[in-house]
């Protein structure tokens, strides 16, 4: 069996792949081959060399000024950064990557790379013919190793083309940003593929019978052309957590929970929510049953193929901006939700109430406002009498009602 790690391109998003590597080390998952495109090729070279801590240090210190000759204010806006790239494209054919080349030469140790038993392959594209160059470790001349790594990561037109011998090359993402096929051609029989979901072409897999485990970001990563140390640290953390979730050591999707937490509490809270609904709408049982059977369950359980409980839980975390780099117990997660809920306060109650009366709530209102409004309403509802306003809410926004009930139950 030959296990391959396949790393996609994605510029600054590549920090995520170092987090994946950390998790693979923790899980004692070995590999025989690494293929990569663009920043994935650079990270792949580190994985071949086997120096995780050097790669981590590099990403921890990386910033724009570290990579390019152009000096910028660290607080530069994304808009101004785009203008900077645009100016260099028009005047110089792309950003000067001399600093990046120097950094790669200092970081990737040629002898260790070629002495490693781990095989390697990358993709770059000939800028004149637009044909791909899939090059393997045995085909790379040691004196050109760094050149090919730079060539694969030359995100044209943002960066200048890379010349090797008499040819000029650009980013391998113009042909295959996730080089699974290259790994298959090199003999891989099992693949772990890290897809950063960045811009780039992906080729159709030539052998669909090969087992492939995909690891993808559960949360949005930074703009691929914005290089920032804090973004890199967050990316590495997410890569680590997502990998442990992929291999069932942790659980959750958008957020991360200790193993067994969701399964342990799912049935308990689902039962509590249904019991509360029955008590709340005791005198409107026909409507309640219709909502439960046709609206609430169906709408929530089908959304993105998530189950009932996880949908409520994770969407609340997203709405209230919980930290997605932490590992939670459900108790800790609930406590964080209530803290954020209390911070929001009662700021928009008048706007919310007016919108409900006009039945325009789904057209423009912030979902978080809706949940806060319902949450406040639940504290004054009388469980033995039912509530006209809450019946209207249940009809208009059943999902938000369920989320508010969950917050009420954990308060």
């Amino acid at each position: 069996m030959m296990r391959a790690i396949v790393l996609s391109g994605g510029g600054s998003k590549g920090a995520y792949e170092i987090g994946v590597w950390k998790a693979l080390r923790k899980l004692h998952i070995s590999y025989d081959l690494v293929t990569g495109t663009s920043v994935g090729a650079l990270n792949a070279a580190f994985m071949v060399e086997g120096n995780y801590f050097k790669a981590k240090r590099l990403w921890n210190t990386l910033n724009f000024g570290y990579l390019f000759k152009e000096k910028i204010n660290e607080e530069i806006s994304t808009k101004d950064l785009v203008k900077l790239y645009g100016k260099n494209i028009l005047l110089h054919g792309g950003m000067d990557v001399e600093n990046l080349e120097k950094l790669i030469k200092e970081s990737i140790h040629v002898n260790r790379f070629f002495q490693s038993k781990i095989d390697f392959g990358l993709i770059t594209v000939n800028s004149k013919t637009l044909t791909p160059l899939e090059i393997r470790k045995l085909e790379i001349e040691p004196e050109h190793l760094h050149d090919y790594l730079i060539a694969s990561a030359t995100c044209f037109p943002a960066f200048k083309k890379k010349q090797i011998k008499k040819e000029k090359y650009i980013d391998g993402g113009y042909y295959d940003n996730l080089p699974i096929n290259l790994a298959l051609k090199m003999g891989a029989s099992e693949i772990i593929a890290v897809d950063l979901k960045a811009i780039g072409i992906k080729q159709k897999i030539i052998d669909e019978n090969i087992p492939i485990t995909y690891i993808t970001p559960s949360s949005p990563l930074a703009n691929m052309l914005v290089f920032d140390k804090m973004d890199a640290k967050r990316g590495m953390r997410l890569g680590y957590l997502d990998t442990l979730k992929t291999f069932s050591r942790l659980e959750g999707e958008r957020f991360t929970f200790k193993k067994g937490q969701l399964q342990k509490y799912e049935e308990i809270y689902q039962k509590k929510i249904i019991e509360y609904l029955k008590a709340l709408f005791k005198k409107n049982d026909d409507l309640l049953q219709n909502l439960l059977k046709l609206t609430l369950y169906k709408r929530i359980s089908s959304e993105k193929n998530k189950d009932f409980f996880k949908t409520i839980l994770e969407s609340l975390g997203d709405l209230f901006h919980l930290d997605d780099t932490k590992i939670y117990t459900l108790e800790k997660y609930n406590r964080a939700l209530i803290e954020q809920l209390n911070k929001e306060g009662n700021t928009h109650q008048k706007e919310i109430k007016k919108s409900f009366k006009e039945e325009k709530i789904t057209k423009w209102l912030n979902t978080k406002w809706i949940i806060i409004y319902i949450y406040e309403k639940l504290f004054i509802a009388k469980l033995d009498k039912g509530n006209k306003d809450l019946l209207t809410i249940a009809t208009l926004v059943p999902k938000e009602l369920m989320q508010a009930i969950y917050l009420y139950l954990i308060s």
Side-chain angles (χ1 to χ4, degrees):
M1 181 186 79
M2 180 183 284
R3 180 183 291 128
I5 308 297
V6 177
L7 305 178
S8 84
S12 64
K13 298 176 189 285
Y16 181 92
E17 295 170 340
I18 304 303
V20 172
W21 187 10
K22 177 183 178 180
L24 295 178
R25 286 163 53 86
K26 181 181 178 68
L27 296 169
H28 303 291
I29 294 176
S30 60
Y31 49 90
D32 310 288
L33 162 66
V34 193
T35 63
T37 295
S38 194
V39 72
L42 300 176
N43 286 333
F46 279 115
M47 292 187 74
V48 171
E49 188 179 325
N51 197 332
Y52 162 76
F53 293 102
K54 183 164 65 173
K56 180 184 176 182
R57 279 196 305 272
L58 177 64
W59 278 100
N60 273 330
T61 56
L62 216 55
N63 60 36
F64 194 91
Y66 209 65
L67 297 176
F68 307 107
K69 280 187 170 182
E70 194 90 35
K71 301 302 178 185
I72 64 167
N73 186 325
E74 287 188 8
E75 303 298 322
I76 189 171
S77 67
T78 301
K79 182 179 178 181
D80 288 337
L81 198 57
V82 170
K83 288 181 180 178
L84 178 63
Y85 276 109
K87 181 189 78 172
N88 277 276
I89 290 168
L90 291 173
L91 298 179
H92 309 297
M95 297 290 289
D96 190 316
V97 294
E98 185 177 320
N99 284 3
L100 177 59
E101 293 199 27
K102 182 181 177 182
L103 182 63
I104 296 305
K105 287 176 181 178
E106 291 174 349
S107 302
I108 303 297
H109 195 284
V110 175
N111 289 339
R112 285 181 190 165
F113 176 88
F114 284 101
Q115 288 168 4
S116 169
K117 293 180 180 179
I118 298 168
D119 206 355
F120 170 85
L122 65 75
I123 297 178
T124 184
V125 172
N126 186 301
S127 66
K128 184 177 181 179
T129 63
L130 295 181
T131 55
L133 173 63
E134 298 179 323
I135 190 163
R136 310 175 187 197
K137 186 177 181 180
L138 290 175
E139 300 168 330
I140 298 173
E141 298 153 317
E143 64 270 25
H144 288 302
L145 170 62
H146 300 124
D147 294 330
Y148 283 114
L149 292 173
I150 292 295
S152 182
T154 299
C155 184
F156 182 80
F159 302 165
K160 290 181 178 179
K161 299 174 184 178
K162 176 61 181 175
Q163 184 163 333
I164 305 174
K165 300 176 184 177
K166 295 182 180 181
E167 301 292 341
K168 289 186 178 181
Y169 295 93
I170 56 176
D171 200 295
Y174 281 97
Y175 174 71
D176 192 354
N177 205 40
L178 186 64
I180 291 174
N181 287 341
L182 176 56
L184 294 175
K185 292 172 187 177
M186 294 177 69
S189 55
E190 177 190 348
I191 287 173
I192 297 172
V194 185
D195 187 354
L196 297 174
K197 300 294 183 181
I199 296 171
I201 296 167
K202 284 187 279 190
Q203 297 293 326
K204 183 178 179 181
I205 298 170
I206 56 179
D207 185 351
E208 296 181 352
N209 295 317
I210 297 293
I212 302 174
T213 300
Y214 287 95
I215 301 171
T216 59
S218 57
S219 296
L221 301 176
N223 183 308
M224 63 182 290
L225 293 177
V226 177
F227 292 87
D228 176 81
K229 289 184 285 188
M230 296 307 296
D231 288 339
K233 287 180 180 180
R234 178 175 179 273
M236 285 189 278
R237 178 65 175 170
L238 290 175
Y240 174 75
L241 295 177
D242 287 343
T243 304
L244 293 180
K245 285 187 281 188
T246 299
F247 288 96
S248 303
R249 295 298 181 92
L250 296 170
E251 59 186 17
E253 292 184 32
R254 176 75 167 78
F255 295 89
T256 305
F257 299 88
K258 289 185 176 181
K259 189 171 175 60
Q261 284 286 296
L262 299 184
Q263 185 177 358
K264 178 180 178 181
Y265 290 104
E266 179 177 5
E267 187 175 340
I268 294 171
Y269 275 103
Q270 183 168 325
K271 186 177 180 180
K272 283 184 177 182
I273 291 171
I274 300 307
E275 287 176 350
Y276 184 85
L277 279 168
K278 287 179 178 179
L280 187 64
F281 298 131
K282 188 175 181 181
K283 293 192 175 183
N284 304 92
D285 192 60
D286 291 341
L287 175 59
L288 172 66
Q289 293 305 318
N290 182 59
L291 285 169
L292 291 178
K293 291 177 183 178
L294 301 179
T295 310
L296 294 174
Y297 282 159
K298 184 177 179 181
R299 183 168 175 179
I300 292 175
S301 63
S302 64
E303 184 181 334
K304 296 182 180 178
N305 297 317
K306 292 181 180 178
D307 59 72
F308 176 90
F309 179 60
K310 193 187 294 181
T311 300
I312 292 175
L313 201 63
E314 297 216 9
S315 58
L316 280 170
D318 203 21
L319 284 169
F320 286 94
H321 308 294
L322 297 196
D323 188 343
D324 56 8
T325 66
K326 290 184 176 180
I327 300 174
Y328 292 96
T329 60
L330 191 62
E331 182 182 356
K332 184 178 177 182
Y333 188 84
N334 287 345
R335 197 160 55 241
L337 277 176
I338 296 304
E339 285 175 4
Q340 289 301 111
L341 174 66
N342 291 336
K343 286 179 182 179
E344 295 291 336
N346 199 26
T347 310
H348 305 292
Q349 289 295 312
K350 289 183 180 179
E351 296 100 312
I352 295 168
K353 192 171 182 179
K354 182 181 177 182
S355 297
F356 269 112
K357 285 183 178 179
E358 296 176 359
E359 295 191 2
K360 294 179 180 179
I361 195 156
T362 57
K363 292 183 179 179
W364 64 271
L365 201 59
N366 184 307
T367 302
K368 187 161 49 178
W369 293 7
I370 301 173
I371 294 170
I372 293 171
Y373 173 81
I374 301 171
Y375 172 79
E376 298 282 344
K377 199 82 174 170
L378 291 174
F379 276 96
I380 60 173
K382 295 182 180 180
L383 296 182
D384 59 338
K385 292 184 178 180
N387 186 290
K388 185 178 178 181
D389 286 350
L390 286 173
L391 284 173
T392 302
I393 289 167
T395 305
L396 289 172
V397 285
K399 178 181 173 182
E400 287 74 11
L401 173 65
M402 302 293 266
Q403 292 170 314
I405 290 173
Y406 181 78
L407 291 173
Y408 176 82
L409 291 173
I410 65 175
S411 296

